[in-house]
Amino acid sequence: MDQALDQARAAAGRGEVPVGAVIVDGATGAVLAAQGNRVLEHKDPSAHAEMLVIRQAAGKIANERLDGCDIYVTLEPCPMCAQAISFARLRRLYYGAADPKGGGVAHGPRIFSQPTCHHRPEILDDISAREAGNILRDFFKDRR
Amino acid sequence: MDQALDQARAAAGRGEVPVGAVIVDGATGAVLAAQGNRVLEHKDPSAHAEMLVIRQAAGKIANERLDGCDIYVTLEPCPMCAQAISFARLRRLYYGAADPKGGGVAHGPRIFSQPTCHHRPEILDDISAREAGNILRDFFKDRR
């Protein structure tokens, strides 16, 4: 999660909403991908940190399924990213701060609780949540 | 929608689940992007037709918001794509066949009906639905 927090801080430095994500091979502990949010840089509304690491990690192992891999995200994933995590068959989702307004795991559509959701990762929330939340708060405070 | 159906047929020819999508500039009628599903080809679980056209169209106009643009999809978008359509601020969603098992618009989490969904496109469903459904049925029949 420390690497995900570093990615969130780097995103803030680029003027992006500071969220970071890392995908780790659960068997070896190897980091397959680490990214921050790049929506503005890529001119891509889907370029959330989670989407970028899923694409990068799947490309690296040349398989669209990331069985046995875990994702660390500094903020509760939105519905788009939660559904992508399900499609990627990620084993575990570790996340930091809760996101009552935009989250899709414990809030809103609760993607993994839908009967039509075919793969649900093991979910561990509230990981370094205070630090993840502080990075977001500082970012939005500075922009007001 | 005819171009989206062509993209779906081309996807089937590549062994991909046959779904196609097109984004059109609502003011000029110009096609900004046309893509089929490329999950297997790209080794990317998020490479649904809708995601690919959103990324391509936003890149083309160099703006992460596709205000005033419309998306045509042969199948009801999944929750991931529905949320991406919301983030992209697409004006209208035209779609073909309903998807009770995997859809996220009229089924499952009904993304656009969530109180936490900040942008809801105008939705026109059942457009060339029979043809879109036939392409999918033929594809899965041939694979059994």
Side-chain angles (χ1 to χ4, degrees):
Chain A
M1 186 59 91
D2 286 341
Q3 286 190 49
L5 290 166
D6 286 344
Q7 290 289 337
R9 287 186 204 100
R14 298 189 301 269
E16 303 272 5
V17 173
V19 179
V22 172
I23 289 179
V24 172
D25 182 323
T28 65
V31 171
L32 295 176
Q35 285 282 353
N37 185 12
R38 292 185 188 270
V39 166
L40 302 176
E41 179 187 340
H42 288 189
K43 312 283 187 209
D44 174 3
S46 74
H48 287 190
E50 301 94 312
M51 303 299 282
L52 298 178
V53 289
I54 287 172
R55 202 181 310 151
Q56 189 178 333
K60 197 173 232 175
I61 66 166
N63 192 327
E64 73 280 4
R65 292 191 177 181
L66 293 162
D67 295 302
C69 295
D70 304 326
I71 185 167
Y72 295 79
V73 195
T74 59
L75 182 67
E76 178 186 345
C78 78
M80 172 183 73
C81 294
Q83 186 64 56
I85 287 167
S86 175
F87 287 147
R89 311 286 170 127
L90 283 157
R91 184 181 65 168
R92 286 195 195 120
L93 161 61
Y94 297 85
Y95 73 83
D99 186 2
K101 286 188 185 167
V105 176
H107 300 93
R110 292 176 169 76
I111 292 294
F112 301 121
S113 304
Q114 295 288 335
T116 48
C117 181
H118 300 303
H119 171 81
R120 182 187 195 281
E122 187 182 349
I123 299 170
L124 296 97
D125 63 356
D126 205 31
I127 314 290
S128 305
R130 185 177 299 187
E131 181 58 20
N134 284 343
I135 295 171
L136 281 155
R137 262 187 300 279
D138 289 348
F139 177 78
F140 286 111
K141 196 171 63 188
D142 288 349
R143 287 165 71 97
R144 267 185 212 121
Chain B
M1 185 59 89
D2 285 340
Q3 286 190 50
L5 290 165
D6 287 343
Q7 290 289 338
R9 287 185 204 98
R14 297 190 301 267
E16 304 271 4
V17 174
V19 179
V22 172
I23 289 179
V24 173
D25 181 324
T28 66
V31 171
L32 295 177
Q35 285 283 353
N37 186 10
R38 293 184 187 270
V39 167
L40 302 177
E41 180 188 340
H42 287 189
K43 311 283 186 209
D44 175 3
S46 74
H48 287 190
E50 301 94 312
M51 304 298 282
L52 298 178
V53 289
I54 287 172
R55 203 181 309 153
Q56 190 178 332
K60 198 173 229 173
I61 66 166
N63 193 325
E64 74 279 5
R65 292 192 178 181
L66 293 162
D67 296 301
C69 295
D70 304 326
I71 186 167
Y72 295 77
V73 195
T74 59
L75 182 67
E76 178 186 344
C78 78
M80 173 182 73
C81 294
Q83 185 64 57
I85 287 167
S86 175
F87 287 148
R89 311 284 171 128
L90 283 157
R91 184 181 66 167
R92 285 194 196 121
L93 161 62
Y94 298 84
Y95 73 82
D99 186 1
K101 285 187 186 169
V105 176
H107 299 93
R110 293 175 169 76
I111 291 294
F112 302 120
S113 305
Q114 295 289 337
T116 49
C117 181
H118 300 303
H119 171 81
R120 184 186 193 281
E122 189 182 348
I123 299 170
L124 296 97
D125 63 356
D126 204 31
I127 314 291
S128 306
R130 185 176 299 187
E131 182 58 19
N134 284 343
I135 295 171
L136 280 155
R137 261 186 300 279
D138 289 347
F139 176 78
F140 286 111
K141 196 171 63 187
D142 288 348
R143 288 167 71 97
R144 269 186 210 117

